[in-house]
């Protein structure tokens, strides 16, 4: 079973995203509250359903729960948009998409503090989850609403779904 690389190097940033240092994944996830940047990509289909990935049981954070379609850390020395495209390719095989930036904010859990850089896109193709995930599927708005607060979704996804009012406007080709 794979495990997360606790020695992977992440940038440490201030709340505006400026790099002020570096630390390992292990240090960042140890309760140190070192602020490190991540990317999230919310993937919609044309029917307005939102794709969620299922986190594998071997993950060090929120194993076995449903989460944002694409989520990953920005590596030390990597640009945010490059990290977003790398993670989308690695996790879901998505390469041909136009991300729309929807916001940045700080999320804190019991063991870490992240600067979330959230994006969304609409796809015509079905994502292909890699072996980094335990699968994924498109969810309707009603399915997501019914799952909130029931320990099915990650707290981070629930927070972001509500905070960013993630919904799809079928009258437009963009959000």
């Amino acid at each position: 079973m794979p495990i997360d690389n606790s020695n992977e190097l992440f940038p440490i940033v201030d709340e505006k995203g400026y790099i002020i240092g570096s630390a390992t994944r292990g240090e960042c996830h140890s309760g140190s509250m070192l602020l490190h940047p991540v990317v999230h990509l919310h993937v919609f289909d044309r029917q307005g359903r939102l794709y969620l990935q299922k986190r594998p049981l071997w993950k060090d954070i929120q194993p076995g729960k449903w989460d944002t379609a694409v989520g990953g850390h920005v590596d030390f020395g990597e640009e945010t948009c490059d990290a977003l495209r790398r993670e989308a390719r690695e996790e879901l095989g998505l390469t041909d998409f136009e991300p729309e930036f929807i916001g940045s904010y700080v999320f804190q859990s019991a063991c870490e503090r992240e600067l979330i850089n959230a994006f969304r896109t609409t796809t015509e193709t079905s994502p292909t989850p890699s072996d980094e995930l335990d699968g994924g599927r498109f969810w309707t708005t009603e399915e997501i609403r019914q799952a909130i607060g029931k320990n099915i979704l990650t707290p981070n996804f629930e927070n972001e779904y509500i905070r960013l009012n993630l919904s799809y406007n079928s009258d437009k080709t963009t959000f």
Side-chain angles (χ1 to χ4, degrees):
M1 172 179 338
I3 60 169
D4 284 324
N5 177 0
S6 64
N7 293 318
E8 187 177 359
L9 196 60
F10 296 158
I12 301 305
V13 297
D14 65 17
E15 292 191 5
K16 294 185 185 211
Y18 295 109
I19 298 171
I20 57 174
S22 64
T24 65
R25 173 190 290 268
E27 292 170 313
C28 290
H29 292 179
S30 69
S32 66
M33 299 305 155
L34 293 169
L35 185 62
H36 55 287
V38 300
V39 291
H40 287 176
L41 179 63
H42 298 280
V43 178
F44 288 88
D45 66 11
R46 293 285 179 202
Q47 290 74 47
R49 298 176 304 167
L50 183 59
Y51 192 89
L52 299 181
Q53 64 158 275
K54 186 157 189 198
R55 295 179 62 79
L57 294 175
W58 55 263
K59 293 300 283 181
D60 61 349
I61 304 287
Q62 299 295 325
K65 292 189 180 172
W66 290 90
D67 201 3
T68 307
V70 173
H73 292 91
V74 177
D75 291 334
F76 190 76
E78 185 177 40
E79 295 295 324
T80 302
C81 286
D82 293 336
L84 181 71
R85 291 199 177 275
R86 174 181 51 78
E87 290 289 347
R89 183 183 66 253
E90 288 175 1
E91 294 184 358
L92 297 181
L94 293 178
T95 57
D96 187 24
F97 67 95
E98 288 304 316
E100 177 189 343
F101 179 72
I102 53 177
S104 291
Y105 65 94
V106 174
F107 178 78
Q108 184 170 323
S109 70
C111 64
E112 69 174 332
R113 218 169 137 236
E114 296 178 325
L115 178 62
I116 309 289
N117 296 285
F119 298 81
R120 60 182 161 196
T121 194
T122 300
T123 185
E124 299 285 340
T125 61
S126 186
T128 306
S130 74
D131 58 4
E132 285 186 30
L133 311 176
D134 275 353
R137 69 176 180 88
F138 284 101
W139 292 56
T140 66
T141 300
E142 187 56 31
E143 287 176 309
I144 292 170
R145 286 185 181 144
Q146 288 179 5
I148 288 176
K150 296 193 174 137
N151 208 28
I152 295 168
L153 309 168
T154 66
N156 194 337
F157 171 76
E158 289 182 0
N159 172 70
E160 190 160 299
Y161 186 81
I162 294 164
R163 173 190 291 260
L164 299 178
N165 191 25
L166 291 172
S167 61
Y168 180 77
N169 183 346
S170 61
D171 295 334
K172 298 180 179 180
T173 56
T174 59
F175 296 85

